[in-house]
Amino acid sequence: MTALWHGEPEPHSFHPTGADWLRIVARGVPLALLVFGGLVVLLLVRLIERPFCGIKRPVTPHITQFVCRMAFVILGIPFKPIGTPMREKGAVVANHAGWLDIFTLNAKKRVYFVSKSEVANWPGIGWLARATGTVFINRDRREATRQIEVFRERLSAGHKLLFFPEGTSSDSRRVLPFKPTLFAAFFTPKLRDFMWVQPVTVRYIAPDTEDPRFYGWWGDMDFAPHLVQTLAARKQGRVELVYHTPVKVSNFASRKDLAAYCETVVRGGLGDLNVEAS
């Protein structure tokens, strides 16, 4: 992510009661065991997988996918995929609502997130990101050639790279403008002719009695309180993941045209949840 989005006032702080704490523990402990236990298993399998398979990772992504599917079971959040993930080589671009996107976008299809390099050094999240094959990039033009080569290598291996073209997360109720600069690498000679892009819309439907932005995580909101609030929900909402028709990069004249197309399609997927971006 780049600059944080502050287009909506952040919700008031959540203060758990006794009953809330029971749900927090009942969901939080199994979730922690699932995530960190899955990480240990993944790292052990990767010790064998890496020497024999290198970059291709035929086994470990299934572990990530299982963990993400089971996370929704533990949280009690119904998860519904709509449409078909693409089979072509290329990238996935999606709207970004918050930390739950990590589970949502991995639950149906194996993807590899593209993230700023600073994330690699974040405690906890950085370890998970590195273990699951996240591609870290520096926003430095001097490294553009090397990064494009990394993209080409990963895409040629069949990896679906996941980009958030908004550059930051929102309140889950809107799609912010897509940044065309993030599409520039797709139009290089090494990528343009074989690469496809699939727009994907992440839809979070809040619990009936909660703020419609319940699952959004944006601005200066801290991770821990938002996680606690999600764990404490008496009745959860639901998550829908909409896979739109993939498009070939070479069918677009420029990065701006492709960015505008993907933004329109992703925003359309929000349907009646969408509010005007600001």
Side-chain angles (χ1 to χ4, degrees), residues 61-62 64-70 72 79-87 92 100-111 113 160 198 200-202 239-243:
H62 293 281
T64 302
Q65 195 171 12
F66 171 79
V67 168
C68 292
R69 286 178 176 175
M70 291 304 299
F72 284 114
F79 172 80
K80 179 182 179 181
I82 301 169
T84 305
M86 72 175 180
R87 295 182 178 274
V92 175
L100 267 175
D101 294 345
I102 298 171
F103 296 107
T104 301
L105 289 159
N106 269 308
K108 174 64 177 178
K109 178 68 176 177
R110 298 188 300 279
V111 295
F113 290 87
K160 300 296 187 293
Q198 182 168 38
V200 173
T201 303
V202 182
V239 178
E240 297 176 352
L241 190 61
V242 184
Y243 291 94

Side-chain angles (χ1 to χ4, degrees), residues 86 90-91 93 183 186 195-199 245-249 258 262:
M86 72 175 180
V93 296
F183 291 82
F186 303 168
M195 186 170 177
W196 292 70
V197 174
Q198 182 168 38
T245 303
V247 294
K248 196 170 185 181
V249 171
L258 179 56
C262 291

Side-chain angles (χ1 to χ4, degrees), residues 198-239:
Q198 182 168 38
V200 173
T201 303
V202 182
R203 291 168 47 93
Y204 292 103
I205 296 87
D208 292 338
T209 58
E210 299 290 350
D211 187 314
R213 307 168 300 167
F214 183 77
Y215 294 116
W217 183 55
W218 73 95
D220 295 317
M221 294 171 64
D222 292 327
F223 169 69
H226 193 271
L227 171 62
V228 166
Q229 177 177 283
T230 303
L231 293 172
R234 291 180 176 82
K235 183 178 181 181
Q236 296 281 12
R238 65 184 191 277
V239 178

Side-chain angles (χ1 to χ4, degrees), residues 23 25 40 45 54 75 82 115 132 134 183 187 203 208 219 246 249 259:
R23 287 188 292 271
V25 173
V40 170
V45 174
L75 289 169
I82 301 169
S115 177
T132 53
T134 296
F183 291 82
F187 284 84
R203 291 168 47 93
D208 292 338
V249 171

Side-chain angles (χ1 to χ4, degrees), residues 138-148:
N138 288 316
R139 303 191 187 281
D140 186 335
R141 292 183 178 181
R142 293 173 296 181
E143 298 191 24
T145 300
R146 185 187 65 82
Q147 290 172 358
I148 289 171

Side-chain angles (χ1 to χ4, degrees), residues 254-276:
S254 70
R255 58 187 173 88
K256 290 184 178 180
D257 291 340
L258 179 56
Y261 173 82
C262 291
E263 179 185 331
T264 299
V265 172
V266 171
R267 180 176 289 113
L270 278 183
D272 58 358
L273 298 180
N274 184 57
V275 298
E276 185 177 352

Side-chain angles (χ1 to χ4, degrees), residues 9-11 47 133 163 174 210 213 246 269 276:
E10 296 168 21
L47 289 174
F163 294 80
R174 69 197 72 219
E210 299 290 350
R213 307 168 300 167
E276 185 177 352

